[in-house]
Amino acid sequence: MPVMIELVRTNDAVIISFVEALMRDAGIACLVADQNMSVMDGSLGILPRRILVDADQVEAARKILADAGIANEISEQ
C-alpha cells in the first residue's frame, strides 16, 4: 500500500477544488481526507480537510501548487 503524504490542510472549499483539479490535470492521484468531518462540526467548515498524495509524487505536486501561485497552502510536513 502506498504511503500518503499531506499536501494541503484547509477548510477553504475553493482551494480544495482547485488543488483537486490541478492534481487531476497533472495525472497525480489525490485523496481528500476528513471530508465527512463536517457532520462533527455541524457543516460549519471549522475542521480542516486534508489533501493527500502518494509519497513518490509529493514533490511534483508541491511544484504544481507553487507554479499555480498557491505555495502558501502547502503543508509544512
Side-chain angles (χ1 to χ4, degrees):
M1 178 173 218
V3 174
M4 302 291 279
I5 303 290
E6 181 178 304
L7 180 64
V8 173
R9 181 184 298 235
T10 184
N11 46 357
D12 185 331
V14 174
I15 295 292
I16 292 168
S17 294
F18 185 46
V19 171
E20 283 183 297
L22 289 170
M23 295 302 110
R24 185 174 44 251
D25 290 349
I28 297 175
C30 69
L31 168 71
V32 180
D34 307 324
Q35 228 172 334
N36 295 322
M37 291 301 291
S38 64
V39 171
M40 300 295 287
D41 72 12
S43 299
L44 298 174
I46 297 169
L47 299 173
R49 283 39 165 193
R50 297 174 296 138
I51 299 178
L52 309 172
V53 296
D54 287 338
D56 62 345
Q57 295 182 312
V58 72
E59 290 306 318
R62 287 177 178 153
K63 181 173 179 356
I64 290 166
L65 296 188
D67 290 347
I70 57 170
N72 60 312
E73 296 294 335
I74 298 172
S75 293
E76 296 297 322
Q77 297 180 4

